[in-house]
Amino acid sequence: MHIEWTSDLAIGVDEIDNQHKEIFRRFDSLFEACGEGRGKEEVLKLLLFLDDYVKEHFSAEERLQMRSGYPDYPAHKAAHQQFVADVEKLTREFRDEGATLPLVIQTNKTLSSWLIQHIKRVDTAFAGYLREQKKI
């Protein structure tokens, strides 16, 4: 599965949009590596990146939600916390078992699902709220 950043994913806040683009770039690197038989090598890079980066990204997004009075903030924050827990679980599995093929597949599935479900639906709903409130 190849997922690309498109302008319809933009929420209109450069900081958040640029962070989303970086997540897409990193996922694309894993996807390409899997296609070339290098998925096991790339999965650790992605997990280490995600472990730090999404926490920074989620904090920025959540600050913006709080400042704007976003009514779905609690559910959005809970989704972020679940994704962080999913990444931590994948990282633990990597440390315990190494870069197994099932881990590579699960990492691919977890991230692609997140990109499709969260950014395309949940974050764009937040963007709609910001536009309605004329906050962007």
Side-chain angles (χ1 to χ4, degrees):
M1 172 185 278
H2 182 66
I3 301 173
E4 290 185 35
W5 169 264
T6 55
S7 60
D8 63 314
L9 298 173
I11 70 164
V13 178
D14 288 342
E15 177 186 20
I16 303 299
D17 290 336
N18 289 335
Q19 290 171 348
H20 283 163
K21 288 175 189 178
E22 183 62 22
I23 293 168
F24 271 78
R25 277 192 291 276
R26 298 296 181 116
F27 177 72
D28 194 47
S29 293
L30 174 62
F31 182 78
E32 284 180 24
C34 287
E36 297 168 0
R38 298 181 298 105
K40 289 181 179 181
E41 297 144 24
E42 195 65 30
V43 74
L44 176 61
K45 289 180 191 175
L46 180 64
L47 289 172
L48 292 174
F49 162 77
L50 287 175
D51 191 48
D52 287 333
Y53 195 79
V54 296
K55 291 173 187 171
E56 173 187 326
H57 167 66
F58 292 162
S59 292
E61 205 172 86
E62 290 166 11
R63 279 191 307 273
L64 180 59
Q65 290 172 0
M66 287 187 295
R67 280 196 311 266
S68 68
Y70 187 50
D72 290 335
Y73 167 75
H76 203 123
K77 181 176 178 70
H80 287 169
Q81 290 170 329
Q82 182 59 55
F83 185 72
V84 168
D86 291 346
V87 169
E88 288 171 350
K89 181 178 181 263
L90 291 167
T91 303
R92 273 192 312 278
E93 188 176 322
F94 179 87
R95 288 188 180 123
D96 293 346
E97 301 173 25
T100 63
L101 183 57
L103 175 63
V104 172
I105 292 168
Q106 186 59 43
T107 301
N108 229 328
K109 182 180 171 187
T110 298
L111 188 53
S112 62
S113 174
W114 176 261
L115 290 171
I116 292 167
Q117 300 298 319
H118 188 81
I119 295 174
K120 285 190 175 185
R121 290 195 177 111
V122 179
D123 284 349
T124 55
F126 175 50
Y129 171 80
L130 289 174
R131 282 190 285 279
E132 285 174 11
Q133 302 300 312
K134 301 194 182 341
K135 307 241 181 203
I136 55 172

